[in-house]
Amino acid sequence: MVTTLPAAATAVQAGPGRPEVLDQVARLADLEESAVEQMRAEALGAPTRGVVAYGEYQSGGWWTTSLLNHSGDPHDVVIGDGRPQSTSLLEEMPATARFLDSLGLNFMYVRLARLEPHSYLWEHRDYAELRETDRHRLHIPLVTNPSAVLVTAGARVHMAADALWRLTPSQAHGVCNTTGPDRLHLIADVYADDAYQALAAHPHLRDGDAADLPEMTAADRAGLLERAGQLAELGFTTAAEQTLLRAFYTYALPEGGAYDLITELHASCGADADVSRWRAAKAHLLARP
């Protein structure tokens, strides 16, 4: 089901050519098309879309359901440390269960994640609430489209559905699906061990996987703040804030730059409570003390 790539694969172009992008997200292995098709069919036929969790991290439209967790309930989706068990949903997905078994990994949690069109996961870090241990996140894209991208380190990365990918979610990142259809990924959080190290021995990106975002100019910044200010003046505060949050997916901003734009907007209006709220949100989402 999984084709581990030879050592020569490390010479493949690393997207925009910056090591910080490859450190954050990379292909680890090719997948057999038949295995992906079987898992895709099971995921699309699942009797539930899941639940909306981690609401403060998203615009809405991100649904998850668990295949391996600590309770066996597929709607228990808040990840945590421990040895998981199969949920009732995984028991109805034999091809997916066989694929997971074939990896031979030490799983922490496995979920199906659906991101609807016009939906965003805002810039954030994961794992901050978990005990410190060496763990990694694997993505197996089952349904995707070119507008469904991960943004990290100032680059847009499209995870194609022909590979098993590694994400380092303890680094700042965000996800968007701007036009659709739904993006559907199998996401596995695993503890590091010899099996994982063998799987992750040759991380790489291919030409076309990643592209650098443009820098925001002073004119871009002024225009964006003007549009957001106009929305805020009309009483559409949430729309104004989300206009600025989406800048993360358009420009190569410094970490937390979109949140800084929002605090600047509210500061210009004298909305001190909103400034404090967004400073706290920035610290929480980016896992800062």
Side-chain angles (χ1 to χ4, degrees):
M1 295 182 183
V2 176
T3 304
T4 302
L5 295 164
T10 58
V12 176
Q13 283 283 340
R18 292 188 288 110
E20 58 267 37
V21 178
L22 187 60
D23 287 345
Q24 170 65 351
V25 59
R27 294 174 180 256
L28 298 185
D30 293 334
L31 298 180
E32 293 181 4
E33 185 176 351
S34 60
V36 175
E37 288 179 349
Q38 291 171 10
M39 291 191 289
R40 180 185 300 123
E42 289 181 343
L44 291 173
T48 176
R49 291 179 68 83
V51 297
V52 176
Y54 299 103
E56 70 273 27
Y57 289 79
Q58 58 164 306
S59 65
W62 190 64
W63 301 75
T64 53
T65 185
S66 292
L67 303 182
L68 287 173
N69 66 11
H70 306 138
S71 67
D73 178 358
H75 295 125
D76 176 5
V77 297
V78 178
I79 64 172
D81 280 305
R83 185 175 297 278
Q85 60 179 297
S86 298
T87 68
S88 56
L89 179 58
L90 183 59
E91 292 171 357
E92 300 177 18
M93 302 174 67
T96 304
R98 287 195 301 272
F99 172 82
L100 293 172
D101 287 342
S102 75
L103 296 176
L105 297 171
N106 184 8
F107 292 104
M108 182 186 92
Y109 234 82
V110 179
R111 296 166 292 166
L112 278 175
R114 182 187 299 268
L115 188 65
E116 295 176 341
H118 317 299
S119 298
Y120 298 81
L121 287 174
W122 309 125
E123 182 188 11
H124 67 284
R125 283 190 172 92
D126 296 310
Y127 291 166
E129 76 281 12
L130 303 176
R131 62 181 171 86
E132 293 215 5
T133 189
D134 193 6
R135 74 184 90 232
H136 304 274
R137 179 164 292 169
L138 304 177
H139 277 248
I140 298 93
L142 301 177
V143 180
T144 189
N145 69 81
S147 82
V149 296
L150 172 84
V151 172
T152 186
R156 292 165 56 96
V157 181
H158 175 64
M159 297 184 187
D162 58 359
L164 186 152
W165 297 75
R166 184 217 69 222
L167 172 66
T168 305
S170 57
Q171 300 300 314
H173 64 284
V175 180
C176 67
N177 182 10
T178 54
T179 64
D182 288 358
R183 170 194 188 260
L184 185 61
H185 281 202
L186 182 66
I187 300 177
D189 293 288
V190 304
Y191 296 111
D193 59 10
D194 290 345
Y196 172 79
Q197 297 301 340
L199 179 64
H202 304 297
H204 69 290
L205 291 169
R206 294 179 181 169
D207 287 338
D209 283 341
D212 281 328
L213 292 169
E215 299 290 333
M216 176 182 280
T217 67
D220 293 330
R221 182 184 183 90
L224 194 60
L225 284 167
E226 182 180 3
R227 290 195 296 276
Q230 290 169 348
L231 288 168
E233 287 177 5
L234 292 171
F236 301 119
T237 303
T238 298
E241 293 169 345
Q242 293 199 359
T243 294
L244 299 175
L245 286 169
R246 288 194 294 270
F248 175 76
Y249 306 91
T250 305
Y251 301 102
L253 298 177
E255 184 178 306
Y259 302 118
D260 293 338
L261 287 169
I262 295 175
T263 58
E264 182 176 339
L265 170 70
H266 288 308
S268 70
C269 301
D272 294 341
D274 288 324
V275 170
S276 297
R277 176 168 61 90
W278 277 100
R279 284 177 176 164
K282 175 184 177 181
H284 171 63
L285 294 172
L286 295 176
R288 294 181 175 179

